[in-house]
Amino acid sequence: MLTRRLLLAAGASGATVAALPFASRGAAAATPPGILVMAKQIDDVISFDPAQSYEYTDTEVDANIYRKLISPNLENLSQMAGDLATSWTVSPDGKTFTFHLTQDSIFASGKPLTAADAEFSLHRAVTLNLTPGFILTQFGYTKDNVAQLIRATDAHTLVIDLPKPAATSFFLYCLSSNVGGVVEMATALANQQNGDLGNHWLTSHSAGSGPYQLTSWAASDHIILDANPHAATKPLTKRIFITHVKDPASQALMIRHGDADIARDLSPDLLTSLATNPNLYRLTTPSTNQMYLAGNEGYAPLAKVEVRQAIKWAIDYDGIQKNIVPATYEVNQGFEPSMILGGTSEKPFQKDPAKAKALLAQAGYPDGFSATLDHFADHPYMEIAAAVQADLAAVGIKVSLLPATRSQVFTKMRARQHQLMLSEWYPDYFDPNSNAQAFCANTDDSDHTTLKVVAWRCHFFNPTLTAQVAAAAQEIDTTKRVAIYQKMQQEFWKDSPFAFMLQENLTAVLRKNVQGFHLGAQSDFIRYDKTQKT
């Protein structure tokens, strides 16, 4: 059993923490003062190194450990704000960025952060070129040119030259992503193994200047963060304890009895059951996570544009949202999340079986056809897949459901072996290029292409959209850039094999004595530093 004493000592002892609660069910439980306990599914963690971290939980935690040059203004995501940078300038041609860094940022080790650390961090992300490395290398940075193009000119000035033209907002949002986290050079190099620039060590340790530092991590068990004693802004809670609780019902039990201060993964029915509890309240915020139905144009019926349209007109978007995910999703049919540049609130499709049947007849399938539908074997995908199956059956499309683990579903899609697939997507960075490239760009539909994004995986080959993706990524004028995405959206709705359905609302349930926790649209927008128990 996890006692208060063990919780308080866990960081220093390195003890594995695996059991809850803190108190017997016979009395009201309470988490220890000065320690925030969060119940969350954390079995997705791979590494806490910003150059490798790419999963939801580890990027969320990194956002509270590391600082970046810049960050979206969390109160107005359309604006960029300085983090380590007190100011920055962009050359008239949009190719040179000069950042002036704060002089009061100190690493958890006690050493001051300088522009040399920022230079080192961006260099190592490009050189290591691990999963999130493409966020920087897509601009043309390589291990051979990065030292020349990204350089500290003095202790508090970093100059970055773009290898090729790019939209200013595109580049800035990419710098603000998790891969832009500034690592202490001295600590990383002191712990490197076989020239890995500290990557193995930073998988389970930290070297940042943010409000917290990583004290302990046990995979699929717990994460412990302690306050950085040298943080420029002191966090209001000294220790954050994140415990892995996979079962939402167990999370609900913990938050109800006071064994957790925050519960993060509750289903709509559990949210409803807790809504009247006077000791709890709910936080909700729109996220960039979207649910979509994908069709593989390599499957003969889906090669017909009329069939792709018929599927979009067959789905009861509003009914699925209202009856299955009323508290956790909203209908969104655009390929961009609503809060991202170029996002739309337009909903051109609604359930119209007659129109869907007419389109199938035009395509040569008056009696419909059969197809398989791969989907995740968990809530809400099981329920939504069944609803889609019923909607498509109503127009003559006979769907066989194939539930599987997420890794199995993704592996099958990446091999282009699916027919229909229900899946989720969230942007790699807070700029429209992330989704636009993923769903619209396919320069080469052969098996030998290097750009194997979602469009390629579904054999969606539209040269017009592909060219527009490239044009928008280079357009410096924001108004013109938005216009390109708006034009792309219309073409996407007409031709693509994707039916975007829902956009997720992130929710958390908190005890009434917990204030200041910040949910964000993306995982690395979630903040712990102002969270406090009273």
Side-chain angles (χ1 to χ4, degrees):
M1 176 180 289
L2 177 60
T3 64
R4 288 179 174 80
R5 178 172 302 198
L6 177 57
L7 181 60
L8 291 166
S13 67
T16 297
V17 182
L20 286 169
F22 301 113
S24 68
R25 290 287 178 230
T31 57
I35 300 176
L36 185 83
V37 178
M38 187 186 308
K40 186 182 185 299
Q41 297 176 14
I42 62 170
D43 53 355
D44 59 330
V45 176
I46 301 297
S47 171
F48 291 102
D49 182 351
Q52 184 177 9
S53 172
Y54 197 60
E55 312 309 320
Y56 199 94
T57 298
D58 44 41
T59 54
E60 174 181 322
V61 170
D62 274 357
N64 293 278
I65 294 175
Y66 294 96
R67 296 181 67 182
K68 307 159 190 171
L69 293 173
I70 51 177
S71 172
N73 181 342
L74 297 183
E75 304 304 322
N76 183 353
L77 296 175
S78 66
Q79 299 177 351
M80 194 63 69
D83 187 356
L84 290 171
T86 57
S87 64
W88 64 91
T89 58
V90 184
S91 62
D93 64 1
K95 292 189 66 175
T96 299
F97 295 72
T98 302
F99 296 91
H100 302 283
L101 277 58
T102 179
Q103 300 185 30
D104 66 353
S105 186
I106 299 177
F107 289 110
S109 68
K111 294 181 180 178
L113 182 151
T114 70
D117 295 292
E119 175 193 270
F120 168 77
S121 299
L122 296 176
H123 285 187
R124 77 183 286 272
V126 171
T127 300
L128 292 172
N129 200 22
L130 299 169
T131 303
F134 82 92
I135 296 175
L136 297 177
T137 60
Q138 66 182 327
F139 293 99
Y141 294 109
T142 68
K143 63 180 180 179
D144 297 321
N145 69 16
V146 69
Q148 176 186 354
L149 296 172
I150 302 178
R151 57 204 182 277
T153 56
D154 60 45
H156 301 290
T157 305
L158 184 73
V159 177
I160 301 178
D161 290 325
L162 285 175
K164 58 184 179 181
T168 299
S169 59
F170 175 24
F171 182 62
L172 290 176
Y173 275 120
C174 285
L175 277 184
S176 75
S177 69
N178 191 62
V179 75
V182 174
V183 172
E184 183 183 5
M185 177 169 58
T187 297
L189 293 179
N191 290 283
Q192 71 173 329
Q193 301 175 20
N194 301 316
D196 72 348
L197 302 176
N199 170 246
H200 179 75
W201 188 82
L202 285 169
T203 291
S204 56
H205 298 80
S206 63
S209 63
Y212 288 97
Q213 57 185 320
L214 180 63
T215 298
S216 175
W217 168 51
S220 299
D221 189 281
H222 74 271
I223 301 167
I224 298 176
L225 303 177
D226 283 319
N228 171 6
H230 308 291
T233 302
K234 305 298 182 187
L236 300 182
T237 298
K238 292 182 179 180
R239 172 167 287 184
I240 306 293
F241 182 88
I242 308 172
T243 181
H244 176 56
V245 184
K246 189 171 183 64
D247 178 28
S250 296
Q251 290 191 21
L253 191 64
M254 289 171 61
I255 194 73
R256 182 183 293 116
H257 286 278
D259 290 333
D261 300 304
I262 303 176
R264 295 285 302 278
D265 305 294
L266 301 179
S267 57
D269 59 324
L270 292 171
L271 291 170
T272 300
S273 71
L274 296 174
T276 58
N277 190 314
N279 298 314
L280 308 175
Y281 71 100
R282 183 196 304 178
L283 286 181
T284 301
T285 189
S287 82
T288 57
N289 192 36
Q290 293 173 277
M291 189 183 301
Y292 68 96
L293 183 70
N296 186 347
E297 292 190 31
Y299 181 52
L302 295 170
K304 300 274 191 175
V305 66
E306 295 89 353
V307 170
R308 303 196 292 270
Q309 284 286 309
I311 289 173
K312 295 171 188 176
W313 285 105
I315 298 172
D316 186 2
Y317 304 89
D318 291 332
I320 289 172
Q321 188 274 331
K322 291 176 182 176
N323 296 316
I324 301 176
V325 286
T328 50
Y329 286 84
E330 300 293 337
V331 175
N332 181 8
Q333 296 178 354
F335 67 78
E336 297 287 1
S338 59
M339 73 287 288
I340 281 186
L341 186 75
T344 179
S345 59
E346 188 177 353
K347 301 172 187 176
F349 302 103
Q350 60 274 340
K351 184 177 181 179
D352 190 336
K355 187 168 187 175
K357 288 179 180 180
L359 285 163
L360 287 172
Q362 290 177 31
Y365 295 96
D367 300 320
F369 59 92
S370 297
T372 57
L373 171 57
D374 294 278
H375 62 91
F376 307 146
D378 53 37
H379 174 83
Y381 295 90
M382 296 282 286
E383 297 88 340
I384 292 177
V388 170
Q389 179 188 44
D391 287 340
L392 296 183
V395 300
I397 302 174
K398 296 169 283 295
V399 170
S400 299
L401 300 182
L402 300 177
T405 65
R406 294 184 178 225
S407 61
Q408 289 171 327
V409 173
F410 288 140
T411 297
K412 188 173 181 179
M413 185 197 196
R414 287 165 183 157
R416 306 208 277 191
Q417 295 175 350
H418 65 293
Q419 293 177 4
L420 293 171
M421 185 195 71
L422 183 67
S423 187
E424 67 178 357
W425 182 269
Y426 58 88
D428 295 305
Y429 43 86
F430 199 75
D431 184 85
N433 184 74
S434 181
N435 281 21
Q437 183 183 66
F439 290 94
C440 300
N442 186 357
T443 56
D444 177 4
D445 199 51
S446 75
D447 291 340
H448 307 293
T449 184
T450 57
L451 188 65
K452 296 183 177 182
V453 294
V454 184
W456 175 88
R457 296 168 193 167
C458 292
H459 287 285
F460 177 44
F461 185 69
N462 184 310
T464 298
L465 284 175
T466 299
Q468 289 173 327
V469 170
Q474 297 181 27
E475 179 54 65
I476 295 177
D477 186 303
T478 300
T479 301
K480 293 179 180 178
R481 192 172 183 226
V482 170
I484 295 174
Y485 287 119
Q486 290 174 340
K487 188 175 182 180
M488 287 175 61
Q489 183 63 76
Q490 299 300 319
E491 174 68 15
F492 182 87
W493 278 327
K494 292 177 183 177
D495 190 39
S496 83
F498 305 108
F500 274 80
M501 299 169 58
L502 300 164
Q503 181 173 320
E504 186 175 12
N505 290 323
L506 285 186
T507 60
V509 172
L510 299 83
R511 302 287 298 180
K512 275 287 179 65
N513 65 328
V514 178
Q515 301 294 328
F517 179 68
H518 182 85
L519 274 180
Q522 299 214 139
S523 59
D524 56 340
F525 296 172
I526 296 172
R527 296 291 185 271
Y528 309 154
D529 58 311
K530 294 181 180 179
T531 310
Q532 186 176 34
K533 294 197 299 187
T534 57

